[in-house]
Amino acid sequence: MSDTSALWGRGAASGIDDLLKRLNESDPKLQSLTILKFRRLNDADVEALAKALRSNSILFELNLCSHPLSVEAAAVLGTSLQHNSGLKRISIGNSSWGDQVRPISTHRLA
């Protein structure tokens, strides 16, 4: 069972530094991660998240829905997934992407 205690805030509403620390340490309890929309998730945060995902093989599910990721941030995240062996499910995007976004193949994640 995964640990969800850090996912709901605990005073960390300003960013994701606490979650990055756990990812970088490959915390075995952090198998599923949902970053809620009240947490800051800007391009710099996504770049740090992507870097952490490159070496983390514990996390199998990542949900970033409701965060308005830029095209550049999504590309950085996508590139990091080429080096990740554990992630099986990922959800990204929000309504600002509209119908203009091309479908992303997740066959490599399955």
Side-chain angles (χ1 to χ4, degrees):
M1 182 169 182
S2 62
D3 176 13
T4 59
S5 60
L7 307 181
W8 299 104
R10 282 215 261 161
S14 64
I16 62 168
D17 291 342
D18 58 325
L19 301 175
L20 291 172
K21 181 178 185 295
R22 291 180 68 189
L23 285 170
N24 283 318
E25 294 172 350
S26 293
D27 181 344
K29 294 181 181 177
L30 188 59
Q31 298 174 8
S32 178
L33 176 60
T34 296
I35 300 179
L36 299 175
K37 67 180 181 176
F38 65 80
R39 286 191 179 242
R40 181 196 71 228
L41 190 68
N42 58 31
D43 284 5
D45 294 321
V46 173
E47 189 169 333
L49 177 62
K51 184 178 178 182
L53 288 173
R54 283 178 173 254
S55 61
N56 182 291
S57 61
I58 305 295
L59 191 72
F60 71 86
E61 180 178 42
L62 177 64
N63 184 345
L64 305 178
C65 287
S66 300
H67 290 281
L69 300 182
S70 69
V71 172
E72 295 80 13
V76 166
L77 188 59
T79 299
S80 76
L81 297 179
Q82 296 173 7
H83 306 281
N84 181 286
S85 62
L87 204 56
K88 303 296 180 213
R89 290 187 293 264
I90 184 169
S91 299
I92 61 172
N94 72 356
S95 62
S96 70
W97 285 14
D99 294 331
Q100 307 304 318
V101 178
R102 291 178 286 182
I104 298 171
S105 173
T106 58
H107 70 279
R108 209 182 130 331
L109 298 177

